[in-house]
Amino acid sequence: MPVLKKINPNPFTTRPEIEGTFGVVASTHWIATAVGMSILEKGGNAFDAGCAIAFTLQVVEPHLNGPGGDVPIMIYDARRERAEVICGQGPAPAGLTIAHLRGLGLDLVPGAGMLAPCIPGTFDAWMIMLLNWGTMRLADVLAPAISYARNGHPLVERASATIATVADLFRDHWHSSAAVYLPGGDVPRPGSIFTNTAMAATYERIVREAEAASWQRDTQIEAARRVWSQGFVAEAVDRFCRSEEVMDVTGQRNRAVLTGADMAGWQATVEEPIGFDYGNYRVLKPGPWTQGLVALQQLALLKDIPLDAFDPTGPDFIHLVVEASKLAFADRETFYGDPNFTDVPIEVLLSPAYNDARRALIGETASLELRPGSISGFGGKIDARVSGDRRVSVGSLGTGEPTVGQIGDPDGDTVHFDVVDRHGNMVAATASGGWLQSSPVIPELGFPLGTRAQMFWLDESHPAALVPGKRPRSTLSPTLALRDGRPYLAWGSPGGDQQDQWTVQFFLRHAAAGMNLQESIDAPAWHSEHFPSSFWPRMSRPGALIVEGRLPTSTVEELKRRGHAVEVGEDWSEGRLVAASIDGQRRRAAANPRGMQGYAAGR
């Protein structure tokens, strides 16, 4: 009689792992997931579905992303058997310089208001994907977002709570935002039907002008790109930036430097991903203009450790992963930046010799130091601002991270989705910026600009120093993985600096511990706040380790004994992971139950 192998090491999951043969979608909002599946059902491919999902998420999760924001997109083209990255991260505008900000008395780029917008990158990135890899027309992929913006959608609880945190700011200073997000002067209730007719009108006009330019699909998409970067959208942005002085997180009014000329001079680009081999997997990330390399560095540090021998909820597993993350994130602060402006020693950072030496620094107890590596001719000085408190209140003037105005809040600050279609195409995308609390709504357009420039350092010698035309080092970090040389997995999570802690935990639970996608998402998670935050005011908390309350008490006590400054959070508080995979004819997907918004679907 054959012996049945126990496949499920952790029999409890909040929901089943979705499995089918036609296609799967997983996203951070159930409406977006349903929209993506509807596109696949209509004959669209993963790239068509991805565009429709992205624009829908701008409408239904406005506290987490918007049209004025930014996105890295990772795709796998099954026809060409090739993975690529579409860079939707706009660079710093021409007028945003270190000298300009120092002249205003600033030593950091503010986390909210009009000084921190980069060139909005999302729209052109989605248009490039639709043009080069999609099959459907612009009107078809925009139709769901337009409908939800014009006719309404149930407002999620976190959006309502976020509006409440900045309601006084809107009433007192950002009146154009109050007009959209405080209908009738009040904070909209969770579950109330919420509309943004100005945003709907913006996208409707883009479609009309694109269709007036030509009946051909490709020509329409190219026309839409021009309408955005050189037409009425850019004109409205230019007008608003030139005419408005806006109260921001510095407590003073500042005027934007972004112009229509900046928008007209930039286009999204396509580039190769960077990668690292971990066992029979090759994990792929966007380049070091994001923090994606930090995930690969963690895997390089952990590669020769037999993690499959450890319980993923036990102290040994967690200690090793946390200590590896501290080393990798210290290197992020020291070496990463836009490779168009600075040399980033990627090969050295992922090399066996470098990681053998760095791995030797992982001891039996928690490190309380920030310990970047040393590579001759590379790197910059870390500006570490230490806080003894987990939560740093900054009042009602907005903050860098788009959660609820506190540092380290894990409730989410971004959106993510993954798609796998019947052809084997894959999309993984993490969109953010332009959230409702970033800057005032531009009245003619119905959306605000982003604040990604807050991730620059005002230190000319640093790899992530502010320079006009340079991309900030973004926290946005989608992931793809090949298995045995074949496309296998797409995954990601919102969460700012926590993204590449949660994505690594997920991968190790799946690849090393053998959990399926849903089990890997549902398992108790954690994050470190040991290193400087990417968001204003850029604080760090040495040794701080935030864990879910579902971790075993024995694990928590042992981590404390090893010197970690452990703080036990709510049982379901860490991460908003979603994932999708392809395995031969099978397509699988899973989504995070935390926050009760993310869902996966497929058949």
Side-chain angles (χ1 to χ4, degrees):
M1 175 180 290
V3 177
L4 295 178
K5 181 181 178 181
K6 183 180 179 182
I7 299 174
N8 192 342
N10 173 20
F12 172 75
T13 60
T14 58
R15 56 185 74 170
E17 181 185 60
I18 299 298
E19 186 169 1
T21 58
F22 173 75
V24 291
V25 176
S27 89
T28 50
H29 196 291
W30 68 89
I31 287 177
T33 296
V35 164
M37 279 304 301
S38 74
I39 295 294
L40 295 181
E41 296 286 0
K42 291 174 183 175
N45 63 20
F47 312 113
D48 300 314
C51 285
I53 292 166
F55 288 115
T56 300
L57 286 170
Q58 293 173 5
V59 176
V60 300
E61 293 196 299
H63 57 308
L64 305 178
N65 77 135
D70 22 66
V71 61
I73 309 165
M74 299 199 71
I75 68 168
Y76 184 84
D77 180 347
R79 182 177 59 84
R80 298 176 60 205
E81 298 185 342
R82 182 178 177 85
E84 296 193 271
V85 175
I86 304 172
C87 173
Q89 175 57 67
L96 190 62
T97 65
I98 291 176
H100 177 71
L101 293 171
R102 285 180 177 163
L104 297 173
L106 301 175
D107 63 353
L108 288 176
V109 182
M114 299 301 291
L115 284 172
C118 287
I119 298 169
T122 56
F123 186 83
D124 201 59
W126 296 123
M127 291 301 99
I128 282 185
M129 187 172 82
L130 184 64
L131 177 67
N132 293 334
W133 288 277
T135 64
M136 298 179 75
R137 289 180 173 268
L138 176 67
D140 296 325
V141 299
L142 275 172
I146 291 171
S147 177
Y148 283 113
R150 181 162 295 285
N151 301 318
H153 58 92
L155 192 69
V156 295
E157 185 276 333
R158 290 308 309 162
S160 176
T162 301
I163 294 169
T165 67
V166 287
D168 288 341
L169 172 65
F170 287 4
R171 292 187 183 106
D172 295 341
H173 301 289
W174 295 6
H175 299 145
S176 59
S177 295
V180 175
Y181 290 105
L182 298 175
D186 298 321
V187 175
R189 298 186 311 277
S192 61
I193 300 300
F194 185 82
T195 63
N196 187 339
T197 55
M199 186 189 293
T202 294
Y203 282 135
E204 287 168 341
R205 182 173 172 183
I206 289 173
V207 171
R208 283 198 310 271
E209 294 193 16
E211 290 180 340
S214 173
W215 61 270
Q216 293 183 324
R217 171 190 176 274
D218 291 4
T219 308
Q220 286 181 2
I221 296 171
E222 291 285 14
R225 297 176 69 192
R226 290 192 299 273
V227 170
W228 179 273
S229 64
Q230 302 170 45
F232 81 92
V233 175
E235 291 169 359
V237 170
D238 185 90
R239 240 183 345 263
F240 190 80
C241 290
R242 290 179 186 274
S243 62
E244 298 293 324
E245 285 191 345
V246 174
M247 180 66 71
D248 63 29
V249 74
T250 67
Q252 64 189 38
R253 294 183 179 275
N254 289 299
R255 191 183 298 273
V257 298
L258 178 67
T259 68
D262 291 316
M263 293 180 64
W266 179 83
Q267 294 183 349
T269 54
V270 179
E271 58 189 53
E272 291 189 11
I274 57 175
F276 181 77
D277 294 326
Y278 184 92
N280 61 332
Y281 295 89
R282 181 160 182 80
V283 181
L284 303 174
K285 282 285 193 178
W289 52 272
T290 74
Q291 69 174 8
L293 176 58
V294 82
L296 305 184
Q297 283 199 249
Q298 290 173 79
L299 295 179
L301 286 162
L302 296 166
K303 181 177 181 179
D304 293 330
I305 298 174
L307 291 176
D308 56 351
F310 299 125
D311 176 1
T313 64
D316 294 327
F317 185 96
I318 295 173
H319 174 76
L320 287 167
V321 174
V322 169
E323 292 305 296
S325 76
K326 292 177 182 178
L327 295 173
F329 276 89
D331 279 357
R332 180 194 74 167
E333 294 304 306
T334 303
F335 297 111
Y336 295 13
D338 185 347
N340 294 337
F341 285 75
T342 186
D343 289 332
V344 181
I346 297 173
E347 292 185 4
V348 175
L349 292 171
L350 296 178
S351 68
Y354 182 82
N355 284 284
D356 287 346
R358 298 284 281 160
R359 191 180 306 110
L361 298 175
I362 299 176
E364 292 298 317
T365 59
S367 170
L368 300 180
E369 302 175 60
L370 200 59
R371 299 181 293 178
S374 177
I375 302 175
S376 179
F378 297 92
K381 181 177 178 292
I382 297 177
D383 182 8
R385 300 167 179 238
V386 177
S387 169
D389 298 320
R390 179 182 178 199
R391 312 241 179 227
V392 183
S393 175
V394 296
S396 62
L397 295 179
T399 66
E401 204 160 7
T403 49
V404 293
Q406 294 170 319
I407 300 304
D409 193 301
D411 289 338
D413 63 336
T414 300
V415 299
H416 182 88
F417 69 83
D418 304 301
V419 187
V420 181
D421 68 18
R422 65 189 183 279
H423 310 294
N425 298 308
M426 305 176 76
V427 179
T430 311
S432 189
W435 42 72
L436 65 89
Q437 63 275 38
S438 62
S439 63
V441 165
I442 300 171
E444 302 99 310
L445 303 178
F447 61 81
L449 297 170
T451 55
R452 189 64 55 181
Q454 67 183 287
M455 298 185 174
F456 286 117
W457 289 107
L458 304 188
D459 174 358
E460 293 88 346
S461 66
H462 197 280
L466 170 61
V467 177
K470 184 178 182 178
R471 292 171 290 184
R473 187 209 69 208
S474 175
T475 53
L476 304 178
S477 187
T479 320
L480 293 180
L482 311 180
R483 188 172 68 178
D484 298 321
R486 301 296 304 160
Y488 173 65
L489 183 63
W491 78 103
S493 173
D497 296 307
Q498 285 80 55
Q499 286 181 42
D500 279 312
Q501 299 182 64
W502 292 326
T503 57
V504 169
Q505 292 169 38
F506 166 89
F507 177 72
L508 293 173
R509 288 192 285 261
H510 182 62
M515 295 182 178
N516 72 27
L517 301 185
Q518 193 63 53
E519 292 165 346
S520 300
I521 289 172
D522 284 357
W526 62 87
H527 78 270
S528 170
E529 296 180 1
H530 178 78
F531 43 84
S533 169
S534 295
F535 295 89
W536 186 94
R538 309 295 289 266
M539 307 300 286
S540 62
R541 300 180 60 239
L545 178 60
I546 319 304
V547 305
E548 285 188 334
R550 295 181 296 129
L551 274 181
T553 301
S554 58
T555 294
V556 173
E557 292 305 312
E558 175 60 17
L559 290 170
K560 289 180 179 178
R561 190 193 69 79
R562 296 188 189 190
H564 296 277
V566 180
E567 298 174 12
V568 179
E570 298 294 328
D571 283 0
W572 296 90
S573 56
E574 292 283 318
R576 291 178 67 207
L577 283 154
V578 297
S581 71
I582 177 172
D583 184 9
Q585 191 178 1
R586 297 176 186 270
R587 279 87 174 107
R588 298 185 176 97
N592 174 54
R594 300 163 179 88
M596 298 185 293
Q597 283 178 230
Y599 272 86
R603 69 171 180 84

